[in-house]
Amino acid sequence: MRIDPWVGTQFADYNKLLEEFGIEKFDGSKLPNPQRMFRRGVVFGQRGFDLIQGAIDGKKPFAVLTGLMPSGNMHLGHKMVLDQANYFHSLGADLFICVADIEAYATRNTPLEKGRTIAVEEYIKSYIALGLQKKRVQIYFQSTRKAVKDLAYLMGRKVNFSTMKAIYGMDDGTNMSHMFAPLVQVGDILHVQLEKYGGPRPTLVPVGVDQDPHMRLTRDIAFANRLCNVTVAKDGKVGIFVKSDEDVEGLLKVAESVASEAGFKKLKKIVAYKALYVEDAEAKDVPVLDAAMIALERKRNPFTFFMPSSTYHRFITGLTGDKMSSSKPETAVFLSDPPADGAKKVMRAKTGGAMSIEEQKKNGGKPELCSVFEMLLYHLIDDDAKLAEISEACRGGQRMCGTCKKEAAALVEAFLRDFQEKKKAVGEKWKEYVIDDA
Ligand code: TRP
Ligand code: SF4
């Protein structure tokens, strides 16, 4: 199985995805006041999230990066990742929002100028209307951020064609801009750790699973640039292992100073193994040692990065029961839909109701198969108790689809009306969020 980030695929079995690609389960129980995406299992997987949890718990700096493709209109599905980003931002993260105009040009042939207009009118203004705060936020365009493009080029050193083929299925017919687009995303994700953008710190990229290939590539490249590897060895001992062949002894000295400064005493250096064993350290100490090593490695190698972390959210099903898609207007509620039209789409949506009212009263409905319930769960009802009540009443046959849809439609209509007013009020204020460093 291969995930293709440019061809929307519907993933029915998320557990299988976890297994096949080695994505870890996401546990949001330690998050302070978790946003509903985290409470309700919408965010189901992660890579390296312990670094982010550590930064939150220790009140240390971290960054969050999300990207948008400026092609097509913004719908409710696109709002999910913004909701998550806003949550981490509220916890103190630096927030970067990337307009993937190069990617849109490379993979969808959207001219840069047009991409810019779509980004501003459809996405950036909407993000602000949806509550994006200005402090610690930068919105930028791939095409005007030199650091991103430079990194894309330079990081390409660490990946070859055979890997690109294996990850993305690229072939002899793939155009070179498309071939390069994933490296631009690598540049996006890693550039936030350059000095100019805040320095090395844990970085979270909340995405849908379709973006996991990019995360694997970026994490591999970040690791490939490291001079040392701080990890638990096969024998269970914590070690700092030098990967580089240059100045092994010098790096082992750095490792020693890091370990003793962190309070460890039982250090065993084996130069022949290029290893420093920290025998009184445990697995839980690895992140601390690694963070200290990253800070010092940076002095020797400007491309020293924390491996970026990611979280994965489920996709919202389209209102018709198919995939939600910008190219099929009936599948999604667009933020620009006239409120009455949005409501009508909900009234026509596929539910998990029975064939007849009698049958539904007798056997109940199936909220887990219902796109209206999904709308309530993802977007419209924030009160967990109220949502649970609806689900139980549906299952128990006390709640009928007609009234249920009417309620959901009214919520959508009210949401769109309020949102569109706020969006109108944004006016030229969007410019204050954009940092164009062309
Ligand atoms: N590839 C992403 C998409 O298809 C857009 C994107 C570009 C992105 N750069 C990013 C997403 C960096 C997250 C982080 O939507
Ligand atoms: Fe869906 Fe509501 Fe019908 Fe249940 S009652 S199947 S939640 S529309």
Side-chain angles (χ1 to χ4, degrees):
M1 179 159 128
R2 175 186 283 139
I3 302 175
D4 185 335
W6 299 286
V7 179
T9 330
Q10 192 78 310
F11 301 101
D13 191 345
Y14 287 100
N15 280 327
K16 205 165 145 213
L17 259 179
L18 296 186
E19 271 169 41
E20 185 149 347
F21 291 100
I23 297 173
E24 311 269 337
K25 283 218 161 72
F26 178 81
D27 169 16
S29 65
K30 281 178 271 160
L31 290 174
N33 302 319
Q35 200 269 346
R36 58 177 179 273
M37 300 286 168
F38 305 108
R39 301 196 305 265
R40 296 179 180 170
V42 178
V43 174
F44 69 95
Q46 51 95 5
R47 289 187 195 271
F49 191 76
D50 51 335
L51 281 185
I52 303 301
Q53 185 72 51
I56 295 170
D57 294 344
K59 306 215 175 330
K60 300 239 172 66
F62 69 108
V64 173
L65 173 78
T66 173
L68 61 95
M69 279 284 249
S71 63
N73 297 335
M74 182 165 172
H75 56 60
L76 276 180
H78 294 122
K79 179 174 175 284
M80 297 201 294
V81 53
L82 180 73
D83 287 341
Q84 296 167 53
N86 279 340
Y87 166 74
F88 290 110
H89 187 219
S90 77
L91 297 182
D94 301 322
L95 176 56
F96 293 80
I97 298 174
C98 157
V99 177
D101 57 349
I102 292 184
E103 184 180 353
Y105 176 68
T107 64
R108 295 185 191 167
N109 207 17
T110 310
L112 292 181
E113 265 313 305
K114 185 169 173 219
R116 197 174 176 96
T117 311
I118 294 175
V120 171
E121 297 304 327
E122 269 298 312
Y123 291 86
I124 298 178
K125 288 185 178 178
S126 298
Y127 283 21
I128 297 168
L130 291 169
L132 181 67
Q133 297 294 306
K134 205 166 26 187
K135 57 174 186 219
R136 286 181 279 103
V137 168
Q138 317 194 6
I139 302 178
Y140 73 91
F141 294 79
Q142 285 178 330
S143 64
T144 60
R145 189 155 275 199
K146 181 173 180 297
V148 167
K149 290 184 286 187
D150 284 354
L151 266 186
Y153 209 101
L154 296 164
M155 293 299 104
R157 184 78 181 76
K158 298 288 184 195
V159 54
N160 59 29
F161 184 43
S162 127
T163 305
M164 292 303 271
K165 275 196 290 198
I167 300 182
Y168 298 104
M170 289 165 170
D171 59 32
D172 291 358
T174 307
N175 80 63
M176 289 307 294
S177 295
H178 187 159
M179 196 92 76
F180 200 60
L183 282 161
V184 179
Q185 185 152 340
V186 171
D188 287 325
I189 297 171
L190 297 181
H191 93 284
V192 309
Q193 295 191 51
L194 296 175
E195 257 65 34
K196 182 174 173 192
Y197 299 97
R201 60 210 186 292
T203 303
L204 176 67
V205 190
V207 288
V209 263
D210 63 318
Q211 298 293 303
D212 186 50
H214 300 313
M215 294 312 305
R216 290 194 307 255
L217 176 70
T218 314
R219 286 169 59 83
D220 286 353
I221 287 178
F223 183 70
N225 279 289
R226 290 293 302 276
L227 303 176
C228 297
N229 178 18
V230 185
T231 187
V232 182
K234 282 200 197 80
D235 56 9
K237 282 188 200 152
V238 172
I240 302 178
F241 303 94
V242 176
K243 291 166 61 191
S244 164
D245 287 323
E246 266 164 55
D247 193 18
V248 175
E249 299 208 22
L251 283 165
L252 285 175
K253 278 208 187 92
V254 171
E256 271 177 315
S257 71
V258 159
S260 55
E261 221 150 280
F264 297 103
K265 304 219 153 48
K266 289 171 78 180
L267 311 182
K268 194 158 120 201
K269 183 161 74 175
I270 308 181
V271 180
Y273 295 175
K274 299 163 71 176
L276 178 80
Y277 288 95
V278 187
E279 294 184 328
D280 46 349
E282 297 166 36
K284 68 166 176 44
D285 303 315
V286 167
V288 177
L289 291 169
D290 199 32
M293 282 306 296
I294 287 171
L296 292 174
E297 278 182 40
R298 192 38 100 82
K299 298 193 169 144
R300 297 169 172 237
N301 169 17
F303 302 139
T304 310
F305 303 105
F306 283 85
M307 271 163 72
S309 312
S310 47
T311 53
Y312 302 95
H313 63 77
R314 288 168 202 274
F315 289 104
I316 186 164
T317 318
L319 293 170
T320 52
D322 305 321
K323 189 188 177 289
M324 186 172 277
S325 160
S326 297
S327 53
K328 285 188 242 143
E330 70 284 5
T331 62
V333 172
F334 289 89
L335 296 182
S336 54
D337 278 343
D341 292 9
K344 265 189 219 138
K345 285 183 183 176
V346 175
M347 290 307 292
R348 282 196 294 260
K350 182 179 165 288
T351 72
M355 296 298 280
S356 66
I357 295 201
E358 291 71 41
E359 198 188 323
Q360 187 154 344
K361 281 189 175 149
K362 194 162 149 249
N363 299 328
K366 295 194 172 70
E368 71 278 7
L369 297 179
C370 174
S371 69
V372 176
F373 186 75
E374 231 182 356
M375 286 281 273
L376 299 173
L377 180 143
Y378 282 64
H379 295 297
L380 300 173
I381 293 190
D382 201 43
D383 179 341
D384 288 348
K386 194 160 168 209
L387 189 74
E389 230 169 73
I390 292 174
S391 147
E392 271 153 43
C394 168
R395 262 182 237 288
Q398 296 96 17
R399 192 176 172 90
M400 295 298 123
C401 295
T403 31
C404 190
K405 284 204 269 193
K406 259 190 218 138
E407 278 180 40
L411 288 173
V412 164
E413 193 166 343
F415 166 79
L416 289 175
R417 191 159 284 132
D418 174 62
F419 163 79
Q420 289 169 7
E421 253 167 48
K422 286 183 178 145
K423 187 174 168 197
K424 229 183 245 150
V426 171
E428 297 296 293
K429 270 195 292 227
W430 64 270
K431 291 182 180 155
E432 297 164 22
Y433 292 71
V434 172
I435 300 195
D436 247 338
D437 46 7

